[in-house]
Amino acid sequence: MAFISLGNRRYVRLWPVLILLTVALLLIWRNLQQAQKLAENAKIGGQKSADLLPNDSLRSNFPAEDYQDYEEPPKSIRREDSPRTKDLQELLKCRNRSIRFQRLQHGEFWLLQNLVIGRKSLQVGCAESVTYTTNGDYTFFDNLETVASRWRAPVSFAIHTPGYDLNVTLDAIRYVRNCLPESESIRDWVTFHVYFPNRHMPDFVPYDEAGVLGQPYFCTLANGSQVPPPYTLVARNESYRAVANLTYPINVGRNIARQAANTHFIFACDIELYPSLGFVDQFLDMVARNHSVLALDPKQPRRVYPLPVFEIETGVQIPADKAELLTLYRNKQAQVFHLKVCPTCHMIPGQEAWLNQSSSAEDQLHLFSKTLRKNKFKAWEPFYISDNTEPLFDERVTWEGQSNKRIQNFAMCLLGYEYHVLSPAFLVHSPGIKEFSKNGSSRLQYAKEMTKFIKNKIEPEYRVLYGQNSACRT
């Protein structure tokens, strides 16, 4: 009995060890099974991301061709540079810079920079193209197709998305990349950045590009009708920005779009302004053809290259070139931008000569006239090509406060910048002639307060920072 008792105690002590060994063997066997299964999946392409989506039942309500799975962006493989690009890269001494997603703080804003990247923009070298940098909120997405299809080069688009405006914006990004006639141009060229105030955070933000594009999108309903654009379904006065009574930080967006560009030359432009066709190649050809158009000597005054801006009547087709523009102008269907609102803001240096100079498709882009932002042009607000080294836009100035571009041009005046106007290229605002209106009384109040702030605060600061010149005005 004593022997049996002793033996039982010995076996009792062994049971925990046997149980642990058994569990360990089971875990090892399970891991081996999973590894084998994953290896088999890899051989046949793996499980598609769409199979992991929780709402597969939605597919039955939509045509299969309108649903696509998220695909990883192509690897950034630089194609062989053209002789023009090699020449310009040597001339400009710029460095190619990759585009990658980043979460950043920008003052009081959170920024998801390069959240969705244009496929071709990802591969563009610094001297290979010109980036159209612009800004807006979801209500401006209706302009994107026209901009992308006419520019056909990198577009850097910074979008203000406080609170639930981010949700509409993400839907809008998916829509414009897939459901429009020019969606391929948008997928190729447009890189989207979203930013929002840290005091007006969205409930959810995507962690990467797959978090945006991995969601299902549908362009047509089962009955074949077109799904309406998401940016038309939430009225401007129902946006989070409007409900929270937030001002629009236009210069924050302008700076974000500029700072994200990976080309040497940029075009800081408003998204409602559409360029004449073929401009990017025309500009780079001009520089390659005649290096003297650039101020390469540090002793030379710095320079930028404005495009004349026009507006056309509603219903008129946007002109492709200067010949078509001049036809509209002579028929009184086009005029200089803001002619009835602020005649001096966008008048062209040498305006009559520019308008009287005919143009043909064979005309090469050239420098037409040169001026400083003084005297007759002291209130000028040009849109221009630059090397992205001019002063940033002052972020204390909002869209409602107006004068948001004048501050930067005031700084450039103090620095002695020259403005070399181009021809035959131009910009056209989205159709519709702007008229002066007193209905925007709230904006007039903002503008009055901002003008006072500029005169009392910003202008004295700039004169300390950039120098004294009594001919320069804000």
Side-chain angles (χ1 to χ4, degrees):
M1 294 294 293
F3 175 78
I4 294 173
S5 176
L6 177 64
N8 287 341
R9 286 198 297 271
R10 183 172 60 185
Y11 287 129
V12 167
R13 287 197 298 269
L14 287 175
W15 271 113
V17 176
L18 291 173
I19 292 172
L20 288 173
L21 286 173
T22 302
V23 171
L25 288 172
L26 286 172
L27 289 173
I28 293 171
W29 177 82
R30 180 184 174 189
N31 288 339
L32 287 173
Q33 291 291 103
Q34 289 180 341
Q36 184 179 2
K37 185 177 181 180
L38 288 173
E40 291 173 355
N41 285 341
K43 290 180 181 179
I44 62 174
Q47 186 178 22
K48 293 184 179 181
S49 60
D51 296 334
L52 304 177
L53 292 171
N55 53 348
D56 275 357
S57 60
L58 288 174
R59 296 191 187 196
S60 61
N61 298 320
F62 297 87
E65 62 271 18
D66 286 328
Y67 181 93
Q68 295 186 21
D69 300 324
Y70 171 67
E71 296 180 2
E72 290 289 337
K75 299 293 184 182
S76 180
I77 301 174
R78 291 281 298 121
R79 58 182 177 274
E80 184 66 24
D81 286 333
S82 67
R84 183 185 72 184
T85 297
K86 291 178 180 178
D87 173 55
L88 291 178
Q89 188 155 8
E90 176 64 25
L91 176 71
L92 302 172
K93 295 179 172 52
C94 63
R95 293 182 179 181
N96 293 333
R97 184 165 66 89
S98 61
I99 302 178
R100 62 187 179 89
F101 170 68
Q102 295 186 83
R103 299 178 191 86
L104 302 171
Q105 282 186 298
H106 188 104
E108 63 183 42
F109 297 90
W110 280 108
L111 164 64
L112 305 183
Q113 186 181 71
N114 302 316
L115 178 59
V116 175
I117 301 173
R119 298 176 303 187
K120 290 185 178 179
S121 295
L122 187 66
Q123 304 176 25
V124 165
C126 64
E128 188 177 348
S129 195
V130 181
T131 301
Y132 181 110
T133 69
T134 192
N135 67 97
D137 58 25
Y138 71 83
T139 64
F140 287 88
F141 267 72
D142 58 337
N143 298 283
L144 195 57
E145 184 177 26
T146 304
V147 169
S149 64
R150 293 174 73 90
W151 189 251
R152 297 203 176 276
V155 175
S156 178
F157 185 19
I159 311 156
H160 183 226
T161 60
Y164 57 74
D165 287 354
L166 177 61
N167 299 332
V168 186
T169 300
L170 298 180
D171 286 340
I173 291 173
R174 289 186 281 267
Y175 187 91
V176 298
R177 283 175 53 93
N178 298 288
C179 303
L180 299 174
E182 288 289 344
S183 282
E184 187 169 2
S185 293
I186 294 173
R187 288 196 300 271
D188 282 345
W189 297 117
V190 181
T191 296
F192 298 88
H193 327 282
V194 302
Y195 67 102
F196 39 84
N198 55 31
R199 289 179 291 181
H200 297 274
M201 294 283 293
D203 292 332
F204 160 82
V205 299
Y207 295 134
D208 52 24
E209 184 177 87
V212 182
L213 304 183
Q215 299 298 315
Y217 59 84
F218 308 99
C219 299
T220 56
L221 300 172
N223 62 8
S225 61
Q226 182 79 12
V227 171
Y231 41 88
T232 65
L233 299 179
V234 182
R236 190 186 298 267
N237 62 359
E238 296 175 357
S239 68
Y240 182 95
R241 179 169 76 88
V243 172
N245 197 29
L246 301 179
T247 56
Y248 175 52
I250 185 170
N251 283 349
V252 175
R254 282 172 171 155
N255 289 338
I256 286 171
R258 277 182 57 181
Q259 292 167 329
N262 67 334
T263 57
H264 179 84
F265 293 112
I266 67 161
F267 184 32
C269 195
D270 288 354
I271 197 169
E272 294 177 296
L273 297 177
Y274 310 147
S276 51
L277 298 185
F279 174 78
V280 172
D281 280 332
Q282 293 166 9
F283 181 81
L284 296 176
D285 285 344
M286 177 187 72
V287 175
R289 186 173 63 245
N290 181 8
H291 296 176
S292 67
V293 301
L294 302 179
L296 299 173
D297 187 340
K299 297 179 181 178
Q300 290 179 279
R302 283 169 275 191
R303 61 179 68 172
V304 292
Y305 309 90
L307 276 70
V309 189
F310 295 84
E311 55 190 358
I312 59 178
E313 290 183 349
T314 302
V316 173
Q317 184 174 345
I318 301 167
D321 53 33
K322 187 177 179 180
E324 291 184 9
L325 172 69
L326 293 179
T327 298
L328 294 177
Y329 185 82
R330 296 185 189 106
N331 293 335
K332 301 188 184 303
Q333 294 176 298
Q335 63 185 30
V336 174
F337 187 45
H338 277 178
L339 183 65
K340 298 179 180 180
V341 178
C342 180
T344 60
C345 291
H346 294 282
M347 63 181 177
I348 307 164
Q351 183 165 300
E352 289 304 315
W354 197 97
L355 291 168
N356 289 327
Q357 186 182 71
S358 59
S359 177
S360 66
E362 292 75 29
D363 286 350
Q364 293 180 325
L365 190 70
H366 60 278
L367 305 185
F368 175 80
S369 61
K370 180 183 76 173
T371 191
L372 302 175
R373 192 179 178 275
K374 299 177 180 178
N375 304 320
K376 183 179 179 181
F377 296 97
K378 63 185 179 183
W380 197 25
E381 298 181 353
F383 293 90
Y384 51 76
I385 306 296
S386 75
D387 61 6
N388 208 3
T389 61
E390 73 275 18
L392 290 173
F393 295 93
D394 197 304
E395 297 184 0
R396 294 170 290 182
V397 184
T398 63
W399 176 82
E400 289 81 3
Q402 301 181 347
S403 300
N404 44 72
K405 281 177 58 65
R406 290 189 183 186
I407 308 301
Q408 189 217 29
N409 283 278
F410 171 63
M412 293 168 67
C413 177
L414 294 173
L415 290 170
Y417 268 81
E418 295 177 346
Y419 295 77
H420 293 252
V421 179
L422 299 172
S423 182
F426 58 89
L427 294 169
V428 173
H429 194 274
S430 59
I433 303 294
K434 291 193 176 292
E435 303 276 354
F436 180 78
S437 173
K438 293 183 179 181
N439 292 334
S441 56
S442 60
R443 192 180 182 194
L444 291 175
Q445 183 60 33
Y446 273 116
K448 182 178 179 181
E449 295 173 358
M450 185 58 69
T451 298
K452 183 178 179 180
F453 178 73
I454 290 170
K455 290 296 181 183
N456 295 338
K457 180 64 174 173
I458 296 181
E459 191 170 317
E461 290 178 0
Y462 277 39
R463 292 193 185 277
V464 172
L465 288 169
Y466 299 115
Q468 298 287 336
N469 189 328
S470 59
C472 298
R473 294 284 187 271
T474 53

